[in-house]
Amino acid sequence: MTKPTNLEQRVVELELIYTHLQHTVQELDKVVFEQSKRIDLLQRELKLLVNEFRQMRDASRDIRRPEDEIPPHY
């Protein structure tokens, strides 16, 4: 068995680094995918809440409040 040359050592180190980076990218891809799904869900929920708020606001405009009524003697 021959002693590895400096170039061979560098190549092996680069391959190890590449493998580690490849694994890291795969893990990050999973995280981004899960975050994307969560963001989509949150956007749908927000849209529903905004619509519900608007409906409540519009409904409250139709309700007569006693303080808005003019007393009969005016």
Side-chain angles (χ1 to χ4, degrees), residues 53-64:
F53 172 77
R54 287 181 179 152
Q55 289 173 354
M56 289 171 56
R57 181 193 61 198
D58 294 343
S60 71
R61 289 182 182 161
D62 297 336
I63 298 173
R64 297 179 122 192

Side-chain angles (χ1 to χ4, degrees), residues 27-50:
E27 292 299 311
L28 288 172
D29 186 52
K30 289 177 188 176
V31 170
V32 169
F33 178 73
E34 290 301 318
Q35 286 179 341
S36 176
K37 287 186 347 186
R38 182 72 178 146
I39 288 170
D40 289 344
L41 174 65
L42 290 170
Q43 286 176 327
R44 286 192 303 273
E45 288 176 345
L46 178 60
K47 191 179 224 179
L48 290 172
L49 285 172
V50 166

Side-chain angles (χ1 to χ4, degrees), residues 16-32:
L16 288 172
I17 291 170
Y18 173 77
T19 301
H20 176 72
L21 288 173
Q22 201 173 24
H23 175 74
T24 302
V25 167
Q26 289 172 351
E27 292 299 311
L28 288 172
D29 186 52
K30 289 177 188 176
V31 170
V32 169

